[in-house]
Amino acid sequence: MSGFEVYTLHDHQRARLLLSHFAGSILFINIDQGLSEKDWEAYIRDIQKDPVAKESRLGILSYNTDQKLMQKYLMDLAIPCGYVQLKLGLQASTEILLAALQANEAKGRRKCIRAFCEDDEYATMNYKDPDQMYYGKLLDISSAGVAVKFERPLPMPANFVMRGIQLKLRSALIMTDGVLMGLRRGDPHIRVILFNQRMSQKDKLAIHHYIKQRIQYHIDQLKI
């Protein structure tokens, strides 16, 4: 919901490989589990020496409040994104992480996360005007809107307000209004639709949940 593109990785070796494919990424490492303190230090030093991953930035996550440990990572290893001290409770730790992401400008210039879903047959849209029904397949989606490939071109002009759009995101069914925008790639079948930002919080959360699922799915499917 806050606009950050975040993935969870459980294999630290896979995380290191991903850094070589996504230049400029930020990797926050939870040093409380997985490896010993000595092994985490060696792992981090290896990343710092790797010329392929040099454009990435590292940060530390831990519940440990030991000042010497914090100094080691911040001063000796010169971790650029800081030592983020977590707190018990999901809400408290979430707020701390969001603050750390903001401080490190992790969002960049992007306002909304976009998830590609052309390969998901259960991401569709239906729209009915007074005369007929239009069926579309979602190509991508963000919290702001969607790109949809319709079975036949829509006759409505740009800026037309579409009332009662039915959006299906796997098990979630969302009813909303939208504003019809221009063509995508000059294809008359592909239209961009902006959501009515007054949609319910429940529907916004359903869209956010779907986007999170899709981006995590694509990361998990990468062959590295």
Side-chain angles (χ1 to χ4, degrees):
M1 295 293 285
S2 299
F4 294 103
E5 188 170 344
V6 179
Y7 308 99
T8 302
L9 299 170
H10 300 286
D11 182 347
H12 65 285
Q13 295 299 345
R14 180 175 172 81
R16 181 175 173 180
L17 290 169
L18 284 168
L19 292 179
S20 65
H21 285 71
F22 298 96
S25 298
I26 297 176
L27 173 63
F28 280 97
I29 301 170
N30 182 355
I31 61 170
D32 290 347
Q33 57 185 6
L35 300 177
S36 67
E37 181 186 326
K38 181 179 179 181
D39 288 338
W40 275 129
E41 180 179 345
Y43 172 78
I44 290 169
R45 290 189 185 278
D46 283 345
I47 291 178
Q48 291 175 323
K49 289 186 236 179
D50 188 344
V52 179
K54 64 182 179 181
E55 293 185 35
S56 301
R57 293 181 291 158
L58 303 180
I60 301 298
L61 302 178
S62 179
Y63 289 98
N64 197 319
T65 60
D66 185 277
Q67 293 297 314
K68 289 184 179 179
L69 182 66
M70 295 173 66
Q71 182 175 348
K72 179 179 76 171
Y73 284 106
L74 294 175
M75 305 302 292
D76 299 343
L77 274 72
I79 296 296
C81 293
Y83 185 106
V84 180
Q85 190 175 324
L86 302 173
K87 294 183 179 180
L88 293 176
L90 178 61
Q91 184 63 35
S93 289
T94 298
E95 291 174 359
I96 291 169
L97 282 171
L98 285 174
L101 291 171
Q102 289 279 10
N104 287 284
E105 299 181 341
K107 191 184 298 185
R109 292 173 293 182
R110 183 195 62 246
K111 292 183 179 180
C112 300
I113 298 172
R114 181 172 59 170
F116 297 99
C117 49
E118 187 172 1
D119 60 341
D120 184 2
E121 62 179 311
Y122 300 108
T124 61
M125 175 182 284
N126 298 331
Y127 171 70
K128 187 178 187 309
D129 69 7
D131 300 316
Q132 55 190 318
M133 179 76 79
Y134 296 90
Y135 299 94
K137 173 72 189 67
L138 270 59
L139 303 181
D140 59 63
I141 182 171
S142 74
S143 59
V146 288
V148 187
K149 185 170 185 177
F150 289 94
E151 293 180 350
R152 60 178 181 273
L154 298 181
M156 307 83 168
N159 298 317
F160 177 81
V161 178
M162 304 173 72
R163 305 288 185 187
I165 294 169
Q166 185 181 82
L167 189 68
K168 186 173 183 181
L169 304 175
R170 290 194 160 262
S171 60
L173 187 62
I174 296 165
M175 296 291 292
T176 187
D177 297 337
V179 178
L180 188 64
M181 306 303 288
L183 305 180
R184 171 74 66 84
R185 300 192 297 267
D187 188 334
H189 292 83
I190 302 177
R191 301 297 293 267
V192 175
I193 300 169
L194 298 183
F195 296 136
N196 183 340
Q197 291 305 300
R198 291 179 294 182
M199 76 166 59
S200 70
Q201 186 67 12
K202 178 182 176 182
D203 287 342
K204 289 180 180 179
L205 286 172
I207 291 172
H208 171 73
H209 179 68
Y210 178 77
I211 290 171
K212 182 178 181 295
Q213 282 186 321
R214 292 308 298 172
I215 60 178
Q216 184 70 53
Y217 170 79
H218 284 294
I219 284 292
D220 292 342
Q221 294 301 306
L222 285 176
K223 304 298 182 183
I224 300 176

